[in-house]
Amino acid sequence: MTKTATAVVRREIVVDAPIERAFTVFTERFGDFKPPEHNLLDVPIAETVFDPKVGGYICDRGVDGSECRWARVLAYEPPDRVVFSWDIGPQWQLETDHEATSEVEVRFVAEAPQRTRVELEHRNIDRHGPGWEAVSNGIANDAGWPLYLARFAALAEKAS
């Protein structure tokens, strides 16, 4: 059975971590849970940097010093919310036209002092134009946001 692509992909996960730790792990340790094979560079990734401010970026740095800035930070509101662009097009290449990019909003909701619900919404995927369904299907499948969130949760729950 084939899934129908939608212009919005929503996922959520609950982590056994206080809201501040969940937010910090998501932003400061993004590269620790981002799969290394999710790479647009021609070389292995040495680090992924999440620049924590509006106007900042998410950037992969290669072992040779090359960089791939694949997202722009649009909102940064610790510990409740972060929004960033998704500047990766349907052919899994950088999209330089900001009008043809989607955005990801991640909300952190305290359910208890040591428990946080993380709500991820990847929206406006159809802005990517022809072939946008490939982006939607790629981020929705098990190797997309579900993988990121599962790896994030494991890291947040063991971080101190």
Side-chain angles (χ1 to χ4, degrees):
M1 184 168 127
T2 305
K3 278 188 183 177
T4 303
T6 63
V8 178
V9 170
R10 292 181 183 92
R11 296 290 183 266
E12 72 175 49
I13 194 164
V14 175
V15 297
D16 291 325
I19 189 171
E20 292 84 4
R21 180 175 355 139
F23 185 91
T24 299
V25 168
F26 193 91
T27 55
E28 293 180 11
R29 300 190 61 191
F30 194 90
D32 292 341
F33 63 85
K34 177 183 177 278
E37 64 273 15
H38 292 191
N39 181 4
L40 299 179
L41 295 167
D42 293 328
V43 298
I45 296 171
E47 66 177 339
T48 298
V49 177
F50 192 115
D51 188 19
K53 63 184 179 200
V54 173
Y57 53 86
I58 303 175
C59 174
D60 292 332
R61 287 196 182 120
V63 295
D64 64 354
S66 59
E67 290 189 348
C68 177
R69 291 186 182 197
W70 56 269
R72 294 164 286 118
V73 179
L74 306 173
Y76 188 80
E77 302 166 8
D80 302 309
R81 173 178 177 258
V82 64
V83 180
F84 53 91
S85 64
W86 183 266
D87 300 346
I88 304 170
Q91 278 66 50
W92 302 104
Q93 295 178 342
L94 277 183
E95 176 58 67
T96 57
D97 178 2
H98 293 175
E99 298 298 314
T101 64
S102 53
E103 63 185 39
V104 179
E105 179 173 9
V106 185
R107 291 190 171 273
F108 300 82
V109 180
E111 292 193 336
Q114 297 294 319
R115 190 170 166 90
T116 304
R117 185 176 66 251
V118 180
E119 303 169 342
L120 183 143
E121 179 180 89
H122 192 146
R123 58 186 173 237
N124 303 317
I125 301 167
D126 54 341
R127 285 186 192 163
H128 290 284
W132 69 267
E133 297 90 348
V135 176
S136 180
N137 290 333
I139 62 174
N141 77 28
D142 290 345
W145 286 123
L147 175 62
Y148 280 67
L149 290 176
R151 292 176 60 151
F152 155 75
L155 188 62
E157 290 176 358
K158 73 177 184 181
S160 55

